[in-house]
Amino acid sequence: MSANRGILTAGRWPAHRMRTLAVQTTFGSGRRAISLKSLFTPSPPSDMVHGSSGKKQRILVQPHDLFHPLSKSPVKEMREKGALIQQHGCCTTCVTETTAMGKPATREPTFECPDCGYPTHCSPTHWKQDTTHHDELCGHLREANEDEHDLRSGRTLREFEFPSAQLPEIVVNLSSWDSFLYTRSFTNINSNRAMRHVSKVLTYPVTIGSVLHQFSPFVLSSGLTPEGLKSMTALRTTIKEHDLARSEKELAMQQMPLRVFVLGARAEAMLPPHLYLQLAYLLPNSPVHVYFVGPECIPAADEARSTIVVSSRLVLKYHKSYFHDAIWNFAPFDPYTDVFFMFSPGIGHPRARPGWQPTVEKLLETKCAVFATGFHERDMQSDVRALREDFGDKMDWLLEPRENPFS
C-alpha cells in the first residue's frame, strides 16, 4: 500500500443543477513530493551479480541491509531526497513554538532520526521531545526507508512481473488488494514488502478501474448515493456498449472512447505507461484515453511527448497546464463517456484552495462525475468543508467519504 491511508469520495450533477465532486488534501504545504521515475532507473552499482537471464545486475543494497540514514545511503536518489527535505522542510517540534514576533518558528530538519533515517528535527533535543514522532510516525518512516532502498537496490523485482489480459470467464474481485491480486493472478507477491511495492504503483490505475468496473465495491450499501448510481449507470452504459460491439468491427469503430481525466497530475503521470494496462485489462473491450492534466504533469520517459499509445485500446495524453486554462482542448464533455479523478489534490488547504477554485468552477460546467481521494479523514473533512463553502448549492455527492480499498 501507499504510505498514506486513502479516502475516496465524489460529487455529481443532478438533472436540474450543475455537477461536481469531492476531494481531499495533502500534507504540509499541500504538495506531494513523490517521484517514481527513479524506481525503474537505479543508480550506478557498488557490485554486480548474474540474474536469471544471464545478464549482470547492479546491486546497491543487500536484502539483509536495507536500512540506511538518507545522508549515508548508497543510493544517490535517496541522498538527494534527504538533502531536499533538509532544504525545504521544517522541524516538527519548532512549528509548535513561536518566535519573538509571534510567528511559528521554522528551522530546517538537519538532524536525522536514528530510528527511521529521515531528517525530522533541528536538533537531538527537539527529536527527543517529539513523542508524536516516536509513537505514531517513526515506524512508518522506517518501513518507507527500507522499501525505498529495496526498490532501488538493483535486484530483479519479480513482483513487478504483472499478468496480462484476463480470460473472459474469470471474474475479478475488487473488494480488496488481496482479492484483486488473487483473482488477477499476480503470482510473484510473496511478502508484505512486495505487496507494498506493487500497491504503491498500481493504486492509481486500479482505483480508477474499481470505480468504473461493473463489480465495483462502491455500491448503494457502501456509500454510493442515488445520484451516484445515476452517474455510474451512464458510464457503465457506455462500457456495456463497448462490450456488445466487440464482435462487430464496424460498430466498434463507431464507439466513442471512455475519457478519464486525471487533474493535478504529478506522480500519476510519471508512472511507466505500461502500468496503466492494468486499467485497460479491467475494461477489456473499452477504448480508454487517459488525460493527465496539471502544471507539474510530466510524461514518464520523454517530456517532449504529449501522447503515448500504449496499446490499441489505451492512449495516454499529457497536458502541462491548468484544466481551467486548457478546457477547450477537451470540450465538449459527455457524462456518458467522460469522468474525472483527482488524487489528493488538497482543495481544502489554504495555499491550494484559491488555485483550485477556477478549476472546480469549470468542472461544474462539464456536468460529469468527479472522484477524488485523500490521505486521511481529517484532510477529507477539510476539503468537503471548503467545497461546501465555495460551491455548496451547485453540487451533489455521488459517494460518501469512505476508505479506498486500493490506497
Side-chain angles (χ1 to χ4, degrees):
M1 300 135 188
S2 37
N4 55 72
R5 180 187 176 193
I7 305 291
L8 187 144
T9 185
R12 103 165 202 107
W13 91 109
H16 61 285
R17 294 195 291 186
M18 295 287 192
R19 125 104 22 57
T20 176
L21 92 350
V23 96
Q24 185 133 334
T25 187
T26 58
F27 292 122
S29 64
R31 296 169 59 86
R32 287 170 297 141
I34 302 174
S35 174
L36 297 171
K37 281 185 175 181
S38 58
L39 302 190
F40 302 89
T41 55
S43 299
S46 57
D47 57 80
M48 306 179 76
V49 298
H50 288 278
S52 57
S53 64
K55 296 182 179 180
K56 289 184 177 180
Q57 296 175 226
R58 299 176 172 184
I59 303 299
L60 289 170
V61 184
Q62 298 298 331
H64 62 274
D65 187 31
L66 293 176
F67 174 76
H68 296 273
L70 266 58
S71 64
K72 298 179 176 63
S73 172
V75 182
K76 178 183 176 184
E77 291 85 3
M78 298 300 288
R79 296 194 299 272
E80 292 175 344
K81 181 177 185 177
L84 283 172
I85 294 173
Q86 291 187 7
Q87 181 180 357
H88 299 288
C90 60
C91 171
T92 55
T93 303
C94 286
V95 298
T96 64
E97 302 175 349
T98 56
T99 65
M101 302 294 292
K103 296 181 178 180
T106 55
R107 300 183 185 92
E108 290 78 11
T110 55
F111 177 77
E112 283 184 326
C113 171
D115 297 324
C116 69
Y118 278 82
T120 55
H121 298 81
C122 67
S123 67
T125 301
H126 274 192
W127 170 73
K128 291 178 182 178
Q129 292 175 356
D130 192 349
T131 56
T132 300
H133 171 77
H134 302 305
D135 297 340
E136 300 179 15
L137 303 177
C138 190
H140 295 293
L141 290 174
R142 171 79 180 224
E143 186 177 84
N145 181 310
E146 295 181 358
D147 287 353
E148 294 287 335
H149 277 100
D150 185 45
L151 283 168
R152 296 169 172 85
S153 65
R155 73 173 177 87
T156 300
L157 299 170
R158 299 294 184 192
E159 54 265 49
F160 288 119
E161 297 176 359
F162 295 160
S164 57
Q166 190 91 337
L167 294 174
E169 61 268 23
I170 300 178
V171 177
V172 178
N173 188 320
L174 290 163
S175 60
S176 68
W177 273 119
D178 286 338
S179 59
F180 168 76
L181 296 172
Y182 177 75
T183 55
R184 277 287 291 123
S185 301
F186 283 74
T187 59
N188 293 321
I189 302 175
N190 51 21
S191 68
N192 288 336
R193 176 165 284 119
M195 170 71 89
R196 291 194 296 270
H197 291 343
V198 170
S199 60
K200 181 175 183 177
V201 297
L202 288 186
T203 182
Y204 304 119
V206 177
T207 293
I208 295 171
S210 70
V211 170
L212 300 176
H213 199 273
Q214 62 174 326
F215 299 129
S216 171
F218 308 113
V219 295
L220 286 174
S221 60
S222 63
L224 190 70
T225 67
E227 293 297 327
L229 181 61
K230 295 178 184 178
S231 289
M232 299 317 302
T233 299
L235 290 164
R236 289 172 187 156
T237 296
T238 299
I239 295 172
K240 185 63 176 179
E241 290 176 353
H242 294 158
D243 293 339
L244 296 174
R246 66 184 182 275
S247 58
E248 297 288 340
K249 186 175 181 180
E250 292 186 5
L251 184 59
M253 293 178 63
Q254 299 174 15
Q255 297 299 309
M256 296 296 293
L258 193 66
R259 298 199 303 174
V260 177
F261 293 87
V262 180
L263 305 188
R266 294 186 183 118
E268 307 93 306
M270 296 181 187
L271 289 175
H274 72 271
L275 292 179
Y276 281 93
L277 283 171
Q278 297 304 315
L279 168 61
Y281 296 149
L282 289 174
L283 307 171
N285 299 307
S286 295
V288 179
H289 292 184
V290 181
Y291 293 77
F292 299 104
V293 185
E296 298 177 72
C297 169
I298 302 174
D302 183 355
E303 296 186 20
R305 297 174 66 185
S306 60
T307 301
I308 297 177
V309 179
V310 183
S311 73
S312 60
R313 293 184 297 101
L314 178 64
V315 179
L316 308 182
K317 300 186 178 185
Y318 302 82
H319 294 264
K320 195 174 182 180
S321 60
Y322 291 103
F323 175 75
H324 55 268
D325 292 332
I327 186 171
W328 299 114
N329 293 321
F330 317 123
F333 296 92
D334 186 342
Y336 279 79
T337 60
D338 300 334
V339 61
F340 293 86
F341 286 85
M342 297 188 290
F343 292 97
S344 302
I347 288 179
H349 194 279
R351 296 184 184 179
R353 187 170 177 175
W356 275 108
Q357 286 176 343
T359 286
V360 175
E361 289 174 356
K362 292 300 181 183
L363 282 174
L364 291 170
E365 296 176 11
T366 69
K367 300 186 178 181
C368 295
V370 184
F371 292 87
T373 70
F375 285 113
H376 46 66
E377 187 173 0
R378 183 177 66 254
D379 287 341
M380 176 64 75
Q381 291 172 349
S382 172
D383 287 356
V384 169
R385 183 166 55 251
L387 288 166
R388 284 177 172 160
E389 290 174 357
D390 296 341
F391 307 99
D393 61 342
K394 298 179 181 178
M395 65 185 207
D396 284 323
W397 299 106
L398 300 182
L399 183 66
E400 296 297 331
R402 56 156 296 167
E403 186 169 354
N404 177 10
F406 297 106
S407 62

